[in-house]
Amino acid sequence: MTLPKGLIVSCQARADNPLHGPQFMGAMALAARDGGAVAIRANGAADVAAVAKAGLPVIGINKVFSDRYPVYITPDFASAAAIVEAGAAIVALDCTERARAGGHPSVLIRRIKDELGAEVFADISTFDEGIKAADWGADYVATTLSGYTEATMPKPDEPDLRLLGALTARLAVPVVAEGRFNTPDLVRQAFTAGAHAVVVGTMITNPREITRSFVQQGVPR
């Protein structure tokens, strides 16, 4: 198993973010490593290659957006191959029930493991999706997409600790908590619920959103 127990930091920045680009994500990964992170989650081949220099396991995703399909997190084999070549030891992909362009997730999981030699990190939104992903051979199951699919909307403010607990009670594979774990206390609750690891992104690596939160919640109007 590549992924140790502990905190995973998601180093991602969209194109409209001043920190967008491999140089900044690489620096974020170094800072996360020095702070005690056990792994990094990053998007796209260029950012994966940059964060890999921090020397931590990289959970790579490859966001490919489509006007026809809602699935965009590593939706096909080519997108997975690109991030493995860039240095990702673990490939995360959308394993929800939604339509996609690149084949059924069960097929992608098998091909990623057999042809690329990488582990698979299944992003799911419901209990049934988590069970299926594990049955298909995913090495890790993560609550990443709870609150972000039609089946789980509207998105709550809090993490889906109920889903996390149900999965950890049922699955033999490691379960990773991801999605709205915005405070150390929530991270602690995730580990208490049985999480193998917890992914935190915005509240560590997105100073624009952190600043916005302080302004909106703390500055008198």
Side-chain angles (χ1 to χ4, degrees):
M1 182 168 58
T2 300
L3 186 61
K5 293 183 178 181
L7 181 71
I8 301 165
V9 174
S10 180
C11 295
Q12 299 182 53
R14 297 179 180 178
D16 66 341
N17 192 309
L19 295 180
H20 177 71
Q23 175 185 357
F24 300 112
M25 293 302 98
M28 286 283 191
L30 290 171
R33 179 200 66 189
D34 292 350
V38 299
I40 303 295
R41 178 165 167 133
N43 172 48
D47 283 5
V48 165
V51 304
K53 295 176 182 178
L56 297 178
V58 178
I59 303 164
I61 65 174
N62 206 342
K63 294 181 179 178
V64 182
F65 295 95
S66 166
D67 292 333
R68 295 181 60 193
Y69 300 101
V71 170
Y72 60 87
I73 298 175
T74 324
D76 53 35
F77 184 75
S79 60
I83 52 178
V84 171
E85 183 177 359
I90 305 167
V91 174
L93 66 151
D94 184 318
C95 286
T96 66
E97 302 282 6
R98 300 179 296 173
R100 66 199 69 221
H104 196 272
S106 62
V107 176
L108 288 178
I109 290 172
R110 184 175 65 250
R111 290 192 66 191
I112 290 167
K113 293 167 68 76
D114 292 348
E115 298 178 38
L116 300 178
E119 293 182 335
V120 174
F121 187 103
D123 290 340
I124 57 87
S125 68
T126 68
F127 180 76
D128 288 343
E129 290 169 354
I131 299 301
K132 289 178 181 179
D135 288 343
W136 294 331
D139 299 282
Y140 312 94
V141 171
T143 61
T144 314
L145 294 172
S146 175
Y148 299 95
T149 63
E150 289 185 4
T152 60
M153 289 180 177
K155 182 181 73 173
D157 294 329
E158 296 292 310
D160 196 341
L161 289 166
R162 179 177 297 181
L163 174 61
L164 175 65
L167 290 171
T168 58
R170 175 69 177 273
L171 296 181
V173 301
V175 179
V176 178
E178 182 170 4
R180 304 178 298 282
F181 287 91
N182 294 329
T183 68
D185 182 63
L186 288 171
V187 170
R188 190 180 305 110
Q189 290 182 49
F191 283 112
T192 299
H196 176 80
V198 182
V199 180
V200 178
T202 296
M203 293 309 294
I204 292 177
T205 58
N206 194 336
R208 181 177 65 183
E209 294 308 310
I210 297 169
T211 303
R212 182 173 292 157
S213 175
F214 271 86
V215 170
Q216 292 177 344
Q217 298 180 42
V219 177
R221 299 293 180 180

